[in-house]
Structure formats: structure tokens, C-alpha cells
Amino acid sequence: MSITHEFNYFRPDNLTEALKLLAQYREKGEILAGGTDHVVNMKDDLISPEAVIDIKRVKELKTIEVQGNRLFIGAKTTFTDILNFQAAKESFLLLWEAARTVASVGIRNRATLIGNICSAVPCMDSAPVLLCYDATVHTLSKAGERDIPIREWFLAPRKTALKPEELVRGVSFILPEEKHTGCYVKLGRYGGEDLAQAGLAILMLQKENGFAYRFAFTSVGPVPSRAAKIEELLAGKELNDELIRQAKKLVEEEISPITDIRSSREYRMHICKVMLERGLLVCRDRLQGKSVESLRILGG
Amino acid sequence: MREITFILNGETRSVNVEPNEILLDLLRDKLGAKSPKCGCDRGDCGACAVLLNGRSVRSCLIYAIEVEGMEIITLEGISRNKLSELQESFIAFNSFQCGYCAPGVIITTTELLQQNPHPDLEEIKEALSGNLCRCTGYKPIFDAILAVTEKEEK
Amino acid sequence: MSEHRFVGKSVVRIDGKEKISGAALFTDDIDFGASLLHAEIISSTEAHALIKNIDISEASKAKDVVQIFTGKDFPFKFGLYMKDRHILAQEKVRFVGEQVVAVVARSPQAAKKAAKLVKIDYEPLPAVTDQLAALKDDSKLLHPDLADYPHVPWFFPKAGSNIAHWRKIRKGEPDKGFAEADYILEDTYEVPRYAHCALETHVAVAKYDYSGRLTVWSSSQSPHTQRNLFAEALSSLGLTHKDVRVIAPHVGGGFGGKAGVTMEIIPAALATKLQGYTVKLRWSREQEFMNTYQRLGLVAKIKMGAKKDGTITAIDHKLYWDAGAYVEYGANVVNATGLSAIGPYRISNISIDSICIYTNLPPGGPYRGFGYSEFLFGLESHINRLSQKLNIDPVEFRRINAIKEGDETAYGAEMNPNGLHQAIEEVAREIEWDKKIESSDPKKAIGKGFAIFWKAPAMPPNASSSAFLKFNEDASINLLISGMDIGQGYQTVMAQIAAEVLSVPPSKIRVETPDTDRNPYEWQTVASHVTWSCGNAVKRAALDAREQIFSLIERVFHFPQDSLYLEDEAVKCLTKKDFSLPLKDFVVNGIMTEDGTFKGGPINARGVFMPEFSSTQGDPETSQGGHPNVHYTVGAGALILEIDKETGKMRVLKAAEAIDAGKALNPDLVRGQITGGLLQGLATVLYEDMRFDDKGRMLNPTFTDYKIPTSMDVPDEVIPIIIEVPQPDGPYGARGVGEHTMLPAAPMIANALEDALGIRIKTMPITAEKVALTLLQKSEEK
């Protein structure tokens, strides 16, 4: 399919030039990283920028690295980079699991995590993970830097706190000190990798006074969000059947799924409860040192 | 219009492109590489897969201008001189029917075996999950790949 | 010499190297040079509307636009079995996606850009998107001129209605049969539309040169039928068949969608107005979903009666088909199923009504299975339920009623030799039918589902195949045939047949994709019939060649012909052991005799096959008489299904499918059809879910939202079983299997689900969501 819209293409090799272009073009410019969303949007005539600013060769932008006690995911980090990052599977299992469910290898080799959170489509896989880790988004513009907590990043479907003259240089979060594990559960329509019709990221931490939990849902609300009520219910407690039953009931207050061509409100609501229960049990087993494969925990 | 230079199947190529030109179209229409195919134009089917600096990518989702200075391999590059052992195995196992998905599958599998020379069946399935095939039911593709990898292991 | 050398062997595909090296050229891969123009089609956004005005003034001035065309440029009707379609919409549009305007420009981008400037005004009309609503008296007529449409004599349209065809079977005395029954079960089953999703979309390139020759390259299952339809539709321009040439390169999947003529006629017609240029039209994936044939939708009402001992006494089967806006091909799906909707059973009292109904949705047409998948979903579900009511095991119930050789079909002809009972036994054994399996996981349930199936080729009684065969100097052979290898391995199997007769190995037999100028007539590659029909033609051509060879040897060496045989590419003699004349010595150059003169010359042979026993002259009110179907292929299948009781997600642990191929000319390729076909069938029941809004617009015309299976969706184990009860008039006993392998998938899943969880789902698709919500509702009711 041809793209009929004509635009200028820039490929700055340094940050100063990139930011200068962004300041010049603002809303009329589109940042290009992996392009797996961008090019589709161009073909569908959803965007028609005057300038496309390819940031893949801006030398100051990074991929994924550990910086002290923080994990830094730079603008150039593809989902394949995350999967191949040596520490990821051991230390950031939740992040690794979410990356694994994104599309397929041919997309993951190009699609960037930063691109994913900038697209802000309601079914993002990266967002719930970053919410659980309380990540911070780091933006840059000619005017300076901003650090935005991930909770304040997603404003509405396809809308973030990013300003027109800004780019995201990366996202980072502190590696939890205590023993912890995580699990990403995703509802798709078949065994192949699908867009999430519902997704749940769980982080389970072993604190001195018991367990702490963080839950974030995706694709069941206009923006992905933490489930504060469920977190409060379970905080400090050990899991048992009654507690899980109560937690599942609370799901109804935490999410607002819709019916669309991909799934129905009722099924999404029901599955989120199942995901919560099964995800929690996987985390509990993992914290006890058991190796549990979670790819098909919803069956099929 | 801008002239870009890159390496295609081991040969240096220079060509004029517009910013809104798509890599898949450039390869097929201007550079004679017909093996990557258009199946869906959205990156869902894998028929357009090529290797870009060694990684399989969706050429329908990349602007031609982005690949300046990089290295691209298509099925033509893999078949040059002599078919690979993987290709001979696909022939022997009658792995493909209509053949339209074959270039994309071979590109993806080539990358897989470079990264992981002895994948198990689950790893093969996962690697190929972005290459849609409507004809075969996938099994003869798996069998041919396993035959190559298990032989090498022995 | 009773053991075959090439036939019955899993020979490596002769087109394998071409496809795997990247050498294979598909239609869009061909370079046409600087005179190539590109067409962009503007499609209707309305399901039913009058076209009030088309304003192309601004678009015509756009850069690189050559010309813009509308319906008034091509006021011709076309169609395969009925002529109800147009090249570009005439005064009205009848479905969202229908082609209205063609913009031709020097590049695809220019065409697409100019297309955005075209303005079309529609006056909407009431649209009907449900076939039962279309039957109501007050429903808008989609084709008020239906009575004037030319059609084959065995179609029965009802003028003044939306019924384009009504096939009736009346046999025996159904009322009496139901009165005799100890139990009657009546219910309705719903099957929606499906898309073929071949990886290669439709594409055609046409050139009308200065000498008045029209050449069309198209991704097609039917080059000769396309030539015929182009010549008919464009005859007012003075074109006849000699002026039209169709070249069909490699096809990236067909599944029935590339049969007949759909979008290919557009560039063919455009070319006639752009003499000297070549015009290409390639469908995007979205257009492929919205404006090519779709599998028809079905609402089926089944009433079946049986006695306590399990004998079926009567069936009343009403099939209401959502056939779409144009039914020139889809009406034959309605016809074919009408003749066979008793399923592979022996039933004496039959009433079938198969009704083809116009709706404002994309045209229904041929899709692998040709209506049989659709009706077998309901029928095989129904059979299971009936057997349960009678407390008879579902497999045993099928044993009691399965059709045998010599039994009467629904239209009164004799059932051909077949291995249905053997298929049932082997599948039941493979799946360990009598053994109940429990899941060790309390969250999961496991069930087994069984289904049997049959299908006959749906074709006109004079559908034919032909073959030319020529030798080359090295004794290699060129086999010129016009069937299409759409993936099934047709070229390889035809080569095996010629190889068997002539002792030349398949690797030395070249079968190329056809050109209607060079290759002799083949009706279409559809209906799973080319192995049988073209196989017969190829065998006759090979025998013709052999006869020429033996006759020449007899003339020169005076050995009687019946003492000669071919082996290892040489002629040998039973009575003279040391005689061995290599074919390459004479098949082009002839044989030099003692006086220095030569006898013989190039061996060129031909073969034709057309069934001479098939007729459509049955009674229009009962369909009795005539012999509309040449033969049936039968089979059975079963699977073990694991269901997650909370999420509804399903996994096929094991599937076994047996098909009676008559003779598996290439067992590996038959197994390939079972593996591939079964997955395509499972996809229709488990994943594929076509959605339309209430204005007739398809909501999910992408692979993002219309899910076909990936490598991660395959069953854990598939056991293909080949049965061989020879087809008496088939080449080496072979009959077709390509479509049939899909047929049992949907009812197997529905039956397994009921076995596991006691829930009966009567609508497709049966997605995880549907199962989970059904289970939830069931538990809430308790």
C-alpha cells in the first residue's frame, strides 16, 4: 500500500539537532523509532506529519542498561533487546514476560518499549509493567528535562503527557531491594501472540511484615491503571482462598472494560478475575523458588 | 528525493528514494528482489520478512530511507550459489504448498538458527508465530527444521 | 509389474525447489516495464444505495492520472452460473465494498491520491443483512430484474423475490417417516460467513495491444473459465476467445476464492479502453476481505426422526443461505448442498430445501468445502444429539446409518464404492473412542467429538480436462495442462501419473503454470476434482504416447505391441530379453532403419476426459433423476479436546482424520491436505469471527482482528489416515480429497464440548469467550 502523504525525513545523529527539529515542527513532527505503529498509522491516514524525525541514530540515546540500582530503558530499546538483556529474565521477570507476549519476533526486533508507551493505545503490554515498578518517564526538549511518574503519563487513549516539542529519552525504575517476583498474564484470542484484550501485571514483594502486592491492568479501561483497592486488601497478608475470593470481587471496582469487536465486557471482567487468581498463585509459587511457566496459564 | 546506499544480498546498491517510499516496494519494484511478498501491509503476516543487519524485520513497516548504510538479506541472497541445508530440508519434507509464505518463513528460520542452532519444537513454534501459513498446518515446516537441527546435534 | 514405481509414492514436489529458492514468480512479481499503469478502486460505503452522482472532475486533473472509469463505461453483465454481476457498479450499489470507480494512473501512489478526490453521492435504500429478513414479503428487492438474468437451466430463481435459486429434494414419504420415528429432534444451527485468507491477495494485470489482443495475467484457479467469461462479457467490443489469452502464474493460495471471475475482469475491461498500455489491479488485504467471494452464511433448520434401534427414518432439512449481493457462483453452493444435505447417511424419506437468498453483503462464493462444512456443522451436531436421546453411542449410531456402496443418494443415484465404514473404524480405534479420559487438572475438562463427512465435486455435467504431452530430446517430458497448483501438489501428481505410464521419473517431467494459448482446456481447479478428471486426461495422454511408441517399435522391429513394455526410460521386450532401446534415442529424432531412412518423429500426445454419465435433468420439484454428482469422497474424524472451565480456552490434544482417497497417488501430499485442511477447519470454529455492523460494513478486515491460526495454534497431535477403496473411473483408482479434510472440524469441536461439559453450542464460531460465558450462565442458572 502506498503512502500518499508527502513529508520531510530527518535523521539527526545527535540530541541537539533532534531537539531543535522537535522545537521547530512541534505537532507537525512525528518521532520515528521502530515504526511498527507509526507506519501503519501513516498508511491508514491517521497521521500526516510535515516531518518524520528518525531518532534511531541519535548517538546520545541508549538501549537498556543497569544504572546503579535503577534499570534504564532507553528510547532505542526494542522488545528483543529486553528479551536478550542478560539481567532481564533473572531480575526483571515481569518485564521479560510482558516483552515476550508482544506480537512476534519480526515486530519485536523493531518495536520499542518507549514507542509503545508513547502510542498509549489502551492495550499496551509495557504500561502495566511500568506501573507496577513505579517507573519514571524521562523527557527532553530544548527547554530542558522532565521526570514524569508513570502514573501521570497516560491521560487518555492515545494521549500522553508528552509535549509536542519533547521526546522521551527513556524510562527507569528502581530495582526492588527485597526478594520479589512477578507475572504478566494476557488474554488473547488464540495461541499466537495477540493484542491484549485484557492484561494484568503483578509484582509480589517479600517484606519483613509480610507480602506486598502491586497490580496493574491494561486494556480494560481508557488508560492502564494500578488496582489500589486490591493492593490494600492484600497488603501484608498471606494468600488464602477467602482473600482471593474477596480480591476477585474487588476487580469489579477496579476496571471498566468495554465491549468491542475483540471481546465483550462480561468476558473481560470475568477473565480479569481469573487472571488475578492464577497470576497470584504463580507469583506465590515463584517466590517459594518454584519454576513456573506462565505462558498458557489461561489454558488453550 | 535522496540517494541512499546500502548492501543488498552482498552487493552495494545505490538508489534514489522518496521519504514516503516503503522498503518492501523498493526491494520489489526497483531492486529486483521479488521474494519478500506483501500479504497484509500491516506487519501481521510475515510474508514481507527480510534480514536487516541480521535481524528479521517487516519490510512493509520500514521506510526505504531508513536502511541507508545497513545490510539487507532476502531469500535471493540465501539461495545464491547453493541452497542452504535448511532449504534442502524444506524441499525434502514437502514443507510448502502454495509457497507464498516460504520466503518469510525461511528468513525467520534463518535468523532463529543463527541465534539458537538447536531449538526445540516450542521454540520453533514461537519463532514462527509471526509467519502466517494458510496451507500446510505448519507441521511439515517444523519437521524439516527439526531434521536439520537434530542432525547437527548428533 | 503389479507394484507401482511412482504412483502411490511420496515423491518430492516438483515445484518445491522453485518455491523454496525464491524463483517462483507470482503475478505481482512479474515486471511489465514502463507501459504499466495502476488502477485504484473506489468502493461503495453503502450497503444498498442508488448512485446519484459521481464527480471525477477534480480527480481527473490530479498528477499522473491517465483516465477514470465508472459503470457507464462497461455496461456489461457477467457471471459463471448466472449473470447478475457488473464490472463496475451500475446505477446502484448492493454491498459495502462494491467497486464503483476505477482510477488509472502511472503509479499506485498517484492513483490512490487521485481517488481521494472523487466525490460520490449516494441515496441510501433499505438494506437487508439477514437472510431470513430478506425472505419477508416487505423486504426490499435487491434484484428487481431477477427474472431476466440468464442462468444455467438447473437453477430455479423466484422472480419478484430475493430468492435466486431454490433446490428441492423430495424423496420417499417424509410424513410417514416421521410418524414411524420413536424420537424426533428439531433444531436450528447458525454458521456465519468466513474469509479464505489466502496469503496472496487477488491480483490481475491486463494488456490490450494494438493488434486487438487482450492478455490477462491473473492469480487464478481457472484460466480457461476466466478467458471464457472475459470473452463473453466483452463480446460487444468484438472480442472472441481467439483474441483473449489468460496466463496464470504461481498462485499463493486459492481455497476457492480465486475460482471463477471476480476482480480480474476490472483490469481486463480497463485495458480495452487503454489500448497499448498494461493495467494492474492488486487487492489490498482489506479489499480482499470485503470484495472477494466470502463463504456463504447459513441458518439451517433440521428435523430428524429415528427409531429406537437407531435407524434414521426421515429428515427435513431447510437451508437458508445468506448468499450476498451477487450469487453468480454462490448459487451453486446452494445447489450442491441441496443435493447432499442428508449427509453420508442412508435415509429413505427426505425433504430438503436449499434456498439462495440475496442480501446486501459481499458476494458469497466458492470456498473449500462448497457449503458442506456449513451444513455438516448442524447435521453432525444433530446426529450426535439424536443418538444421545436414544441412548446409543454416537459412533454406533453412525455405523447403523452410514451410507454404503449401492445405497441411493438423495437424488436417487447409486452411491459409489467408498470406505466410510472403514474410516469410522480406524478413527474410532485411533482415538480410543470407548475410553473415557479425565483431566488431572481440576480446572480442565476433556471430551471427545466424532464426525463423518462426504462431498461430491459440484460442477456442470460437462466439466472437462485435457492434456498435451511432448517428449524432448533427452526423453524429458513437457506436460501441458491447465489445472492450477494452488498448493495441493497437483503438478507433482500429474507428473507421477505420466511417469508411471512412461517410466520417466517425475523429476524429468516439467509441468508449468498454464497459458490458455498453449495449454489445452481445463474447466477450473475447484471441486477437488482435478486429480480425478485431469489425472484421467493425463493418463490418456501418456497412454497415447506409449501407444505411438509401441506402434513405432512394432513397425521398425516387428515385435508385437503386447510384448513391449517401458522401464527406466527405455522400451523393452518380454520375448527378447536383450532388447532395450532408450527413449532419448528416438522420441524426437525417429529411428534409423537399415536403409538409412528414418521412421517416426517427435512423439506428441493428447488426452481428454469429460464424464459422459453426468446430467442435471432431474425433476425441478424433487431433484429425482439425473446424475448431477459424479461421485462422493467420504471420511471420518475425531478429536480429543481439553477445555479450561474458567476461561473457555480450548486445546486439541489429538485429532485423527481418515479420508478415502481411492488411491493416494502421493501419500505425503494427501497427509499435507489433512494437516492443513484440518487446521483451516478448526480455525473456522475456534478463532475466525467475521463481524458486520448494522449497516453491512465488515468491522474486522485485517489479520489483526480476523484471526487465522499461527504456528502456536496447531493441535498437539494430528493422525492422518488414508483409506483406499478405489474409484473405478479414477486414474489408478484415485478421487479428490482437497476440500474434504476441512469438513469434520466444526462438528467435532461442538460434539467434544458437549461430551466434556454437557453444553451444546449451535452457532459458530465456538470461541473461548462463547464457551466461558455459556458455562457461566449455566452455573448461574443452578
Side-chain angles (χ1 to χ4, degrees):
Chain A
M1 193 200 300
S2 312
I3 294 177
T4 53
H5 178 69
E6 285 169 20
F7 52 84
N8 295 307
Y9 170 85
F10 299 101
R11 191 167 59 223
D13 64 5
N14 65 77
L15 211 45
T16 310
E17 204 191 318
L19 296 177
K20 192 167 121 213
L21 285 163
L22 279 169
Q24 178 188 347
Y25 282 99
R26 297 175 58 87
E27 298 87 354
K28 301 206 179 96
E30 279 284 333
I31 295 174
L32 173 68
T36 53
D37 274 345
H38 168 107
V39 177
V40 176
N41 291 338
M42 280 285 229
K43 290 182 177 181
D44 288 347
D45 288 320
L46 291 175
I47 57 175
S48 45
E50 276 181 27
V52 167
I53 303 160
D54 184 344
I55 56 158
K56 290 193 287 295
R57 302 198 205 185
V58 172
K59 59 180 188 287
E60 295 93 330
L61 291 175
K62 298 180 194 299
T63 57
I64 181 170
E65 61 188 40
V66 173
Q67 295 173 347
N69 68 340
R70 297 184 81 90
L71 180 69
F72 181 79
I73 303 169
K76 289 181 182 170
T77 313
T78 66
F79 285 100
T80 293
D81 289 334
I82 295 172
L83 289 174
N84 289 341
F85 188 56
Q86 91 283 10
K89 198 170 177 192
E90 292 84 49
S91 311
F92 309 101
L93 181 59
L94 175 56
L95 177 65
W96 185 89
E97 279 201 340
R100 183 174 62 162
T101 70
V102 172
S104 60
V105 67
I107 298 282
R108 291 195 292 265
N109 283 340
R110 294 281 289 184
T112 60
L113 180 139
I114 296 304
N116 196 223
I117 65 167
C118 288
S119 77
V121 288
C123 57
M124 287 172 285
D125 294 308
S126 56
V129 171
L130 297 176
L131 281 164
C132 280
Y133 280 118
D134 275 327
T136 305
V137 183
H138 307 285
T139 68
L140 286 175
S141 69
K142 256 179 82 173
E145 298 183 13
R146 288 201 297 153
D147 288 339
I148 302 156
I150 191 80
R151 284 178 193 255
E152 295 165 25
W153 179 251
F154 302 106
L155 303 177
R158 294 183 185 268
K159 195 166 187 306
T160 67
L162 187 70
K163 298 206 182 104
E165 68 275 20
E166 281 181 318
L167 62 77
V168 176
R169 73 172 173 86
V171 97
S172 72
F173 53 83
I174 296 172
L175 172 61
E177 278 168 9
E178 55 276 90
K179 187 170 173 212
H180 66 280
T181 189
C183 179
Y184 182 65
V185 191
K186 177 172 171 176
L187 172 67
R189 287 162 288 188
Y190 63 170
E193 286 133 344
D194 193 4
L195 298 174
Q197 275 91 75
L200 172 62
I202 305 176
L203 203 57
M204 184 171 168
L205 307 115
Q206 193 163 332
K207 300 208 177 271
E208 306 99 31
N209 57 342
F211 296 109
Y213 305 87
R214 299 188 200 159
F215 305 98
F217 286 97
T218 188
S219 204
V220 285
V223 294
S225 55
R226 289 270 290 270
K229 293 183 183 144
I230 302 177
E231 289 175 14
E232 200 188 306
L233 171 75
L234 299 178
K237 301 194 184 108
E238 248 192 79
L239 295 172
N240 61 52
D241 286 349
E242 175 55 25
L243 211 51
I244 291 178
R245 196 193 61 76
Q246 287 175 20
K248 282 163 78 172
K249 192 88 181 71
L250 271 182
V251 169
E252 290 167 22
E253 296 176 36
E254 298 279 29
I255 62 174
S256 50
I258 59 168
T259 295
D260 61 17
I261 57 167
R262 294 181 182 153
S263 190
S264 70
R265 196 194 153 279
E266 293 77 18
Y267 187 59
R268 283 173 156 135
M269 181 65 82
H270 168 72
I271 287 290
C272 280
K273 296 177 184 177
V274 175
M275 292 199 297
L276 180 66
E277 176 169 15
R278 296 191 187 183
L280 272 173
L281 296 175
V282 167
C283 286
R284 184 190 61 187
D285 284 346
R286 283 178 174 168
L287 260 190
Q288 288 169 0
K290 296 185 196 147
S291 166
V292 184
E293 173 54 68
S294 68
L295 195 56
R296 289 194 196 250
I297 67 170
L298 293 179
Chain B
M1 195 63 97
R2 179 147 128 192
E3 190 190 76
I4 59 167
T5 300
F6 59 95
I7 300 174
L8 174 61
N9 294 328
E11 296 176 339
T12 304
R13 307 295 293 266
S14 291
V15 65
N16 286 315
V17 299
E18 293 284 0
N20 62 3
E21 217 169 315
I22 297 291
L23 178 61
L24 176 63
D25 298 332
L26 174 72
L27 291 170
R28 290 175 56 78
D29 299 339
K30 290 188 184 167
L31 298 176
K34 300 290 186 182
S35 70
K37 312 279 182 220
C38 184
C40 71
D41 228 355
R42 300 172 63 89
D44 287 326
C45 75
C48 69
V50 300
L51 292 175
L52 181 62
N53 283 4
R55 292 272 183 209
S56 75
V57 295
R58 302 281 182 259
S59 64
C60 73
L61 295 184
I62 297 176
Y63 296 121
I65 205 166
E66 289 180 71
V67 307
E68 185 167 16
M70 298 175 86
E71 193 174 340
I72 296 177
I73 297 178
T74 67
L75 183 58
E76 286 87 348
I78 294 173
S79 300
R80 178 166 297 166
N81 302 321
K82 198 165 100 98
L83 294 186
S84 66
E85 200 183 346
L86 179 65
Q87 285 172 293
E88 295 289 2
S89 191
F90 281 137
I91 294 172
F93 276 83
N94 288 328
S95 294
F96 295 102
Q97 292 187 22
C98 81
Y100 202 73
C101 76
V105 167
I106 295 169
I107 292 289
T108 302
T109 311
T110 300
E111 182 197 25
L112 169 68
L113 297 183
Q114 278 166 4
Q115 310 265 316
N116 178 2
H118 303 288
D120 61 25
L121 181 59
E122 283 309 309
E123 288 168 319
I124 292 171
K125 286 181 180 180
E126 209 287 321
L128 287 175
S129 64
N131 287 91
L132 295 178
C133 172
R134 193 54 158 167
C135 298
T136 66
Y138 301 99
K139 185 166 189 302
I141 296 173
F142 302 151
D143 290 343
I145 299 170
L146 285 168
V148 168
T149 61
E150 282 167 0
K151 190 171 71 161
E152 284 170 0
E153 214 162 16
K154 293 189 186 108
Chain C
M1 250 170 296
S2 53
E3 162 78 12
H4 294 305
R5 186 82 199 283
F6 301 108
V7 148
K9 304 279 184 276
S10 291
V11 162
V12 160
R13 292 179 69 115
I14 60 175
D15 59 353
K17 190 168 181 185
E18 212 180 333
K19 289 172 175 171
I20 289 159
S21 66
L25 286 182
F26 298 80
T27 303
D28 192 51
D29 297 336
I30 304 173
D31 286 317
F32 290 97
S35 69
L36 181 65
L37 302 176
H38 300 265
E40 175 79 20
I41 298 298
I42 300 166
S43 314
S44 168
T45 49
E46 296 286 329
H48 199 194
L50 296 172
I51 302 172
K52 298 305 282 177
N53 188 48
I54 303 175
D55 180 358
I56 62 171
S57 53
E58 216 186 317
S60 303
K61 295 182 227 150
K63 182 164 179 273
D64 283 343
V65 166
V66 173
Q67 202 170 340
I68 302 182
F69 300 90
T70 65
K72 63 173 167 43
D73 296 303
F74 308 110
F76 315 126
K77 273 207 162 65
F78 74 95
L80 184 62
Y81 293 104
M82 181 182 268
K83 303 215 182 299
D84 69 349
R85 276 195 94 153
H86 306 109
I87 296 168
L88 292 174
Q90 300 296 303
E91 63 299 321
K92 68 166 85 149
V93 289
R94 292 181 174 87
F95 68 97
V96 175
E98 182 169 3
Q99 60 268 34
V100 182
V101 177
V103 175
V104 182
R106 301 209 186 267
S107 72
Q109 261 172 352
K112 196 173 170 208
K113 237 173 156 169
K116 290 180 184 170
L117 301 171
V118 172
K119 302 188 210 18
I120 307 178
D121 292 321
Y122 294 104
E123 181 186 299
L125 298 167
V128 60
T129 56
D130 170 279
Q131 64 266 51
L132 297 178
L135 283 180
K136 296 207 169 79
D137 288 333
D138 59 354
S139 179
K140 186 87 183 150
L141 289 185
L142 271 73
H143 291 265
D145 299 329
L146 178 58
D148 302 332
Y149 293 174
H151 59 81
V152 292
W154 29 284
F155 276 8
F156 311 114
K158 296 255 161 301
S161 79
N162 283 321
I163 295 174
H165 176 41
W166 191 324
R167 168 60 63 187
K168 294 180 192 170
I169 298 259
R170 303 284 184 265
K171 189 172 195 284
E173 298 170 76
D175 289 339
K176 195 150 157 267
F178 283 119
E180 278 173 5
D182 290 313
Y183 192 86
I184 297 174
L185 180 65
E186 208 170 337
D187 214 332
T188 304
Y189 301 87
E190 291 177 29
V191 182
R193 289 160 161 261
Y194 286 94
H196 306 73
C197 298
L199 256 284
E200 182 203 25
T201 61
H202 280 65
V203 52
V205 185
K207 177 177 183 149
Y208 186 57
D209 70 21
Y210 292 116
S211 76
R213 191 98 224 271
L214 176 65
T215 306
V216 182
W217 293 259
S218 67
S219 175
S220 167
Q221 294 174 229
S222 319
H224 276 89
T225 287
Q226 291 209 332
R227 182 181 71 170
N228 190 36
L229 259 54
F230 295 156
E232 273 182 4
L234 303 171
S235 59
S236 61
L237 301 173
L239 291 176
T240 70
H241 296 75
K242 69 169 180 15
D243 307 308
V244 183
R245 177 185 189 190
V246 177
I247 298 172
H250 284 286
V251 177
F255 309 107
K258 291 177 181 161
V261 167
T262 55
M263 58 81 87
E264 301 87 351
I265 200 164
I266 302 173
L270 295 175
T272 62
K273 302 271 194 188
L274 295 161
Q275 197 162 20
Y277 281 112
T278 313
V279 184
K280 179 189 285 198
L281 179 62
R282 187 172 79 79
W283 257 190
S284 68
R285 179 54 59 184
E286 185 181 297
Q287 286 166 318
E288 185 73 16
F289 274 109
M290 294 173 76
N291 191 4
T292 58
Y293 291 128
Q294 290 185 351
R295 201 174 93 166
L296 283 72
L298 174 65
V299 172
K301 300 190 183 194
I302 306 180
K303 179 177 171 188
M304 193 178 261
K307 294 219 269 267
K308 272 203 295 278
D309 66 0
T311 326
I312 299 172
T313 58
I315 180 172
D316 185 328
H317 199 165
K318 293 187 176 26
L319 302 97
Y320 300 94
W321 294 95
D322 157 21
Y326 301 99
V327 305
E328 45 89 26
Y329 208 138
N332 203 32
V333 172
V334 177
N335 194 67
T337 50
L339 295 170
S340 308
I342 56 170
Y345 296 103
R346 180 191 327 111
I347 308 177
S348 317
N349 303 304
I350 305 170
S351 176
I352 298 178
D353 291 280
S354 189
I355 306 169
C356 180
I357 305 163
Y358 279 120
T359 58
N360 290 114
L361 290 172
Y367 177 117
R368 189 178 195 175
F370 216 66
Y372 285 68
S373 287
E374 295 88 300
F375 83 72
L376 282 168
F377 169 68
L379 187 66
E380 283 300 287
S381 296
H382 208 75
I383 289 272
N384 242 52
R385 298 166 70 195
L386 192 53
S387 72
Q388 275 159 9
K389 295 290 180 195
L390 295 168
N391 260 315
I392 300 176
D393 173 81
V395 173
E396 182 57 28
F397 189 86
R398 288 175 172 88
R399 282 192 193 102
I400 294 166
N401 293 287
I403 196 165
K404 291 191 163 83
E405 181 183 349
D407 285 339
E408 280 194 1
T409 60
Y411 44 85
E414 267 189 27
M415 181 62 186
N416 50 282
N418 70 85
L420 182 55
H421 281 266
Q422 192 186 343
I424 293 172
E425 294 322 313
E426 297 210 17
V427 168
R429 185 173 47 240
E430 183 62 51
I431 214 84
E432 294 179 295
W433 179 252
D434 296 317
K435 205 167 95 175
K436 176 87 182 142
I437 303 182
E438 300 287 346
S439 177
S440 53
D441 183 338
K443 291 201 195 295
K444 296 199 160 79
I446 297 183
K448 293 186 184 177
F450 203 99
I452 62 176
F453 56 91
W454 75 344
K455 181 184 180 288
M459 5 181 254
N462 61 347
S464 62
S465 305
S466 23
F468 290 151
L469 188 154
K470 67 180 179 74
F471 275 95
N472 301 306
E473 289 89 326
D474 59 352
S476 67
I477 291 171
N478 282 96
L479 190 53
L480 291 118
I481 42 184
S482 295
M484 296 305 300
D485 198 318
I486 52 176
Q488 79 283 52
Y490 157 82
Q491 287 178 348
T492 304
V493 170
M494 295 301 109
Q496 286 175 261
I497 291 173
E500 190 65 42
V501 174
L502 296 168
S503 83
V504 175
S507 54
K508 273 181 82 164
I509 300 181
R510 295 209 72 95
V511 184
E512 308 296 336
T513 53
D515 172 340
T516 58
D517 266 8
R518 279 193 276 104
N519 301 49
Y521 184 85
E522 171 68 54
W523 175 61
Q524 298 197 80
T525 299
V526 295
S528 308
H529 89 290
V530 285
T531 293
W532 173 75
S533 177
C534 191
N536 276 331
V538 167
K539 192 171 180 202
R540 288 175 181 182
L543 289 169
D544 178 13
R546 191 175 74 178
E547 211 261 303
Q548 291 179 44
I549 290 167
F550 288 174
S551 163
L552 175 62
I553 298 299
E554 185 179 49
R555 260 208 300 149
V556 172
F557 296 99
H558 313 295
F559 301 137
Q561 284 195 42
D562 57 13
S563 72
L564 300 172
Y565 65 100
L566 292 169
E567 189 180 65
D568 294 329
E569 304 179 66
V571 188
K572 297 180 181 173
C573 181
L574 286 166
T575 51
K576 194 159 193 317
K577 300 286 180 190
D578 60 352
F579 179 78
S580 174
L581 186 62
L583 291 172
K584 65 179 163 57
D585 287 359
F586 69 90
V587 282
V588 170
N589 295 315
I591 303 175
M592 191 169 83
T593 58
E594 278 164 16
D595 63 0
T597 61
F598 285 81
K599 306 279 181 276
I603 305 288
N604 297 325
R606 91 273 187 265
V608 169
F609 179 80
M610 186 184 82
E612 291 186 342
F613 57 89
S614 179
S615 94
T616 55
Q617 286 182 351
D619 180 335
E621 286 304 312
T622 65
S623 298
Q624 301 306 302
H627 199 296
N629 290 328
V630 294
H631 56 253
Y632 283 88
T633 299
V634 300
L639 52 76
I640 305 177
L641 186 68
E642 178 190 78
I643 309 117
D644 186 306
K645 294 191 275 193
E646 286 185 317
T647 65
K649 281 184 171 281
M650 292 166 278
R651 188 186 185 95
V652 177
L653 301 177
K654 182 173 176 176
E657 187 175 305
I659 188 146
D660 179 3
K663 169 84 183 160
L665 297 172
N666 187 322
D668 211 30
L669 298 184
V670 173
R671 284 189 286 267
Q673 289 305 295
I674 292 176
T675 311
L678 189 59
L679 188 62
Q680 190 172 5
L682 289 172
T684 61
V685 64
L686 295 174
Y687 309 122
E688 294 176 41
D689 193 355
M690 195 180 282
R691 304 283 185 95
F692 290 92
D693 67 14
D694 58 5
K695 296 200 162 40
R697 178 175 188 94
M698 187 180 169
L699 293 169
N700 53 340
T702 64
F703 286 138
T704 309
D705 285 316
Y706 185 92
K707 300 311 241 184
I708 66 173
T710 70
S711 53
M712 293 177 79
D713 298 295
V714 300
D716 289 346
E717 203 185 346
V718 176
I719 311 287
I721 300 167
I722 297 174
I723 309 276
E724 289 178 316
V725 173
Q727 178 60 32
D729 59 0
Y732 299 100
R735 65 175 88 76
V737 303
E739 295 169 278
H740 309 70
T741 56
M742 250 190 94
L743 301 176
M748 288 197 290
I749 293 285
N751 290 340
L753 205 50
E754 190 176 57
D755 183 43
L757 294 164
I759 56 172
R760 169 56 66 177
I761 295 183
K762 297 177 284 182
T763 63
M764 279 171 73
I766 301 178
T767 56
E769 178 168 333
K770 204 181 259 188
V771 171
L773 293 179
T774 305
L775 287 170
L776 270 179
Q777 196 182 39
K778 194 170 161 207
S779 69
E780 273 161 27
E781 282 163 9
K782 284 203 180 115

